Amino acid sequence: MIFDACRTLLKLGRHVDPLVESMTKADLVENVTARIARTAGPTISKKDCARVVDAFLDAIKEALQEQKNIEVRGFGTFKIRQRKTRMARNPRTGSPVEVSARPVPVFKPSKELRAMVAGVDESMLEDEEGDEMNEA
């Protein structure tokens, strides 16, 4: 049954892993509103919470646009990485094409977040301070 669902999605041109759920911005707003209601009482409406989430995401986008790094302790770091000029191939003709250098946003999760996702203690993870960030 899962195989049929995957095959149908692939035919539509989209690959979605049926075992991995995604969280939308609306789900995030719902989750944050519920957490605030549990800890501080129903002091914030969903609409206001959506404004806060939007403002937070907009602040990150604007900082990245200005080539600034954003570090959120215990979560991770958003940075701009400069991609080098490289040669690629036109998929239709096969002819070489130069792809110019450009900035790309990248995210490096904190050691704490990586440990939480892996379900292990932080001390079990290797320190990757000297490693390059994964390019997006």
Side-chain angles (χ1 to χ4, degrees):
M1 186 156 150
I2 290 177
F3 178 74
D4 292 334
C6 289
R7 188 172 54 203
T8 302
L9 289 173
L10 287 172
K11 283 181 183 176
L12 295 173
R14 299 183 332 199
H15 174 68
V16 176
D17 187 345
L19 303 177
V20 177
E21 291 186 36
S22 295
M23 178 180 265
T24 64
K25 188 163 62 168
D27 295 335
L28 181 63
V29 168
E30 181 80 31
N31 191 317
V32 171
T33 305
R35 285 176 185 250
I36 290 173
R38 278 197 306 267
T39 59
T43 58
I44 188 169
S45 68
K46 247 189 242 185
K47 196 176 203 179
D48 289 337
C49 188
R51 287 184 184 133
V52 170
V53 170
D54 285 337
F56 176 75
L57 295 174
D58 287 343
I60 290 175
K61 288 187 238 179
E62 288 171 11
L64 290 173
Q65 188 176 25
E66 296 169 3
Q67 308 291 312
K68 293 181 182 175
N69 297 338
I70 302 102
E71 184 177 332
V72 182
R73 301 265 179 203
F75 185 70
T77 304
F78 296 91
K79 288 186 175 185
I80 294 294
R81 172 89 56 213
Q82 289 296 326
R83 280 221 178 132
K84 296 177 183 175
T85 301
R86 63 184 176 89
M87 292 303 291
R89 296 214 171 263
N90 181 329
R92 277 195 193 148
T93 64
S95 63
V97 176
E98 185 177 295
V99 178
S100 60
R102 66 190 184 281
V104 293
V106 293
F107 174 74
K108 181 180 179 186
S110 69
K111 190 173 180 181
E112 182 181 331
L113 180 60
R114 286 187 289 122
M116 187 178 75
V117 169
V120 297
D121 188 57
E122 276 184 59
S123 61
M124 301 291 289
L125 295 176
E126 293 180 21
D127 197 13
E128 297 180 359
E129 290 303 313
D131 291 350
E132 288 294 314
M133 241 189 259
N134 295 332
E135 290 191 13

